[in-house]
Amino acid sequence: MLNFDEQRFLRIQSGAIALRARLDEVIGSCLRNGAENIFFLGTGGAAILMQPAAQLLQRMSRFPAFVDLPAELVITGSANLTDKSIVVIPSLSGTTKESVALLEKVKEIDATVLTLVGHENTPLGKGGDHAFVNFAEDDTSCESFYLQSLFIALSIMRHRGEIANYEQIVNELEGLPQLLLEVKRSYEEKAEGFARILAGSDYHIVTGAGNVWPEAFYYGMCILEEMQWIRTRPVHASDFFHGTLELVERGVSVILFKGEDKLRQLADRVQNFAPNYTEKLTVLDTADFTLPGISPEVRGLVSPIVLATVLERISAHLEVMRNHPLTTRRYYKRVAY
């Protein structure tokens, strides 16, 4: 595979899997000590990657789950953020400015902080009550963060008696790193073609629904915009028909991500509409990939993870095709802002 280290990938994703037992232990302790809610408080891309787990809790658990912006919470606070809150702060670098500032505020409140970081010797790696360290880099962090946050959500449901098949689910997830590697291999020949579509337009509408919507948002903002300087319009498939559809005409690229949860039908609606008005609809569907030993329920849970692993292959080809390395920035961490 192009510019890809298979063993490194397996090591990082297996590292995320290995954190499950300790995450479960910490969550169980928090709940026994009277935790009343959970906040997922990342910044930028790391925040987006927490959304499927937060959504799972909001839809399947009565334990209150909140998603908010650290930059705003530092200024406003929240009536729900108390010493009975569990706060999850993800940051690959462990140094994200807004998240570090939030950490200090949360400490004053005396909430219990779980940090998910790629580097231990950092403000967030050292500052949380419970730091979970799994080295990763930009091309491997999505799957790692998705897995860790999913384990947190599943653990809350397990300890509250809201999920009957926890053991089955986590047993299936144990084999996911190798399955994801096989997904990458199976898609490699097609990845260049998808990259060519992305390189062929300077503007894309990127959409999805359910737990893959965050991956659509993430890929548009953090990869195509930040790392490739390609303009995008990420829009949830539910909102596609409340404004964005008016921008669809011949020559406009629509990129649709489809997962396998109950909200797939909202993506179907976009897929049925767009070809009538543009010849540039491109669909990336997790149902097209083989995942031996993964049940339909778990396939639904891991749809954003599968998309992330396929999109990494597309991005690897895109940066070569455009002669624009994914590490190139003009402003991000380069100038004061």
Side-chain angles (χ1 to χ4, degrees), residues 231-286:
R231 293 174 175 84
T232 71
R233 168 64 165 103
V235 59
H236 194 289
S238 295
D239 291 330
F240 183 92
F241 294 96
H242 296 273
T244 305
L245 81 168
E246 290 295 335
L247 299 178
V248 178
E249 59 184 352
R250 286 193 60 80
V252 172
S253 172
V254 178
I255 307 295
L256 173 63
F257 294 160
K258 298 184 71 174
E260 298 171 67
D261 65 5
K262 293 179 181 179
L263 298 171
R264 181 181 174 90
Q265 59 186 290
L266 299 178
D268 289 337
R269 189 180 178 204
V270 175
Q271 189 170 4
N272 292 334
F273 170 86
N276 296 310
Y277 305 100
T278 179
E279 77 286 10
K280 290 188 174 182
L281 170 68
T282 310
V283 180
L284 188 57
D285 188 347
T286 64

Side-chain angles (χ1 to χ4, degrees), residues 264-320:
R264 181 181 174 90
Q265 59 186 290
L266 299 178
D268 289 337
R269 189 180 178 204
V270 175
Q271 189 170 4
N272 292 334
F273 170 86
N276 296 310
Y277 305 100
T278 179
E279 77 286 10
K280 290 188 174 182
L281 170 68
T282 310
V283 180
L284 188 57
D285 188 347
T286 64
D288 293 338
F289 299 100
T290 301
L291 296 172
I294 303 296
S295 63
E297 177 187 5
V298 176
R299 286 187 67 104
L301 290 174
V302 302
S303 290
I305 305 176
V306 174
L307 278 178
T309 219
V310 172
L311 286 164
E312 180 277 326
R313 288 290 77 217
I314 293 168
S315 299
H317 286 270
L318 184 62
E319 67 173 344
V320 172

Side-chain angles (χ1 to χ4, degrees), residues 9-10 24 27 43 47 64 70-71 113 117 142 176 196 248 255 257 291 310:
F9 174 79
L10 288 175
D24 185 53
I27 290 296
T43 300
V113 180
V117 298
C142 286
L176 194 62
R196 200 167 298 283
V248 178
I255 307 295
F257 294 160
L291 296 172
V310 172

Side-chain angles (χ1 to χ4, degrees), residues 106-324:
V106 171
K107 281 184 172 181
E108 294 173 5
I109 295 170
D110 204 25
T112 300
V113 180
L114 282 63
T115 56
L116 313 180
V117 298
H119 303 275
E120 183 175 8
N121 294 316
T122 60
L124 290 169
K126 294 292 188 183
D129 297 299
H130 306 278
F132 295 85
V133 183
N134 185 44
F135 171 79
E137 293 179 292
D138 286 338
D139 61 335
T140 51
S141 64
C142 286
E143 297 96 330
S144 177
F145 277 139
Y146 276 139
L147 282 166
Q148 291 176 64
S149 58
L150 176 59
F151 286 142
I152 290 170
L154 291 171
S155 178
I156 288 172
M157 294 167 67
R158 177 175 97 87
H159 288 285
R160 288 173 51 82
E162 295 173 325
I163 186 168
N165 59 340
Y166 173 86
E167 294 299 334
Q168 173 221 319
I169 292 172
V170 297
N171 285 341
E172 290 184 29
L173 292 174
E174 288 285 334
L176 194 62
Q178 185 64 48
L179 293 177
L180 293 175
L181 180 57
E182 296 303 323
V183 165
K184 287 178 182 291
R185 287 173 176 159
S186 72
Y187 194 74
E188 184 68 13
E189 291 186 5
K190 297 180 181 179
E192 183 178 358
F194 200 114
R196 200 167 298 283
I197 291 169
L198 295 176
S201 297
D202 59 5
Y203 167 71
H204 302 275
I205 295 171
V206 186
T207 188
N211 66 0
V212 302
W213 153 244
E215 183 60 23
F217 183 19
Y218 176 92
Y219 195 73
M221 184 177 82
C222 297
I223 309 299
L224 295 182
E225 291 184 343
E226 178 186 320
M227 300 183 183
Q228 288 293 293
W229 308 346
I230 295 173
R231 293 174 175 84
T232 71
R233 168 64 165 103
V235 59
H236 194 289
S238 295
D239 291 330
F240 183 92
F241 294 96
H242 296 273
T244 305
L245 81 168
E246 290 295 335
L247 299 178
V248 178
E249 59 184 352
R250 286 193 60 80
V252 172
S253 172
V254 178
I255 307 295
L256 173 63
F257 294 160
K258 298 184 71 174
E260 298 171 67
D261 65 5
K262 293 179 181 179
L263 298 171
R264 181 181 174 90
Q265 59 186 290
L266 299 178
D268 289 337
R269 189 180 178 204
V270 175
Q271 189 170 4
N272 292 334
F273 170 86
N276 296 310
Y277 305 100
T278 179
E279 77 286 10
K280 290 188 174 182
L281 170 68
T282 310
V283 180
L284 188 57
D285 188 347
T286 64
D288 293 338
F289 299 100
T290 301
L291 296 172
I294 303 296
S295 63
E297 177 187 5
V298 176
R299 286 187 67 104
L301 290 174
V302 302
S303 290
I305 305 176
V306 174
L307 278 178
T309 219
V310 172
L311 286 164
E312 180 277 326
R313 288 290 77 217
I314 293 168
S315 299
H317 286 270
L318 184 62
E319 67 173 344
V320 172
M321 188 178 298
R322 301 185 73 239
N323 191 28
H324 186 126

Side-chain angles (χ1 to χ4, degrees), residues 51-125:
Q51 290 182 14
Q55 183 188 88
L56 179 64
L57 287 171
Q58 290 165 349
R59 302 270 167 82
M60 302 298 292
S61 173
R62 294 185 66 83
F63 191 71
F66 298 93
V67 177
D68 213 322
L69 299 170
E72 292 195 355
L73 274 186
V74 166
I75 297 171
T76 65
S78 168
N80 293 299
L81 182 57
T82 72
D83 61 352
K84 296 296 186 181
S85 298
I86 303 169
V87 175
V88 179
I89 304 179
S91 170
L92 182 59
S93 69
T95 62
T96 309
K97 180 179 179 181
E98 297 91 336
S99 296
V100 172
L102 176 74
L103 176 65
E104 297 307 312
K105 187 176 185 70
V106 171
K107 281 184 172 181
E108 294 173 5
I109 295 170
D110 204 25
T112 300
V113 180
L114 282 63
T115 56
L116 313 180
V117 298
H119 303 275
E120 183 175 8
N121 294 316
T122 60
L124 290 169

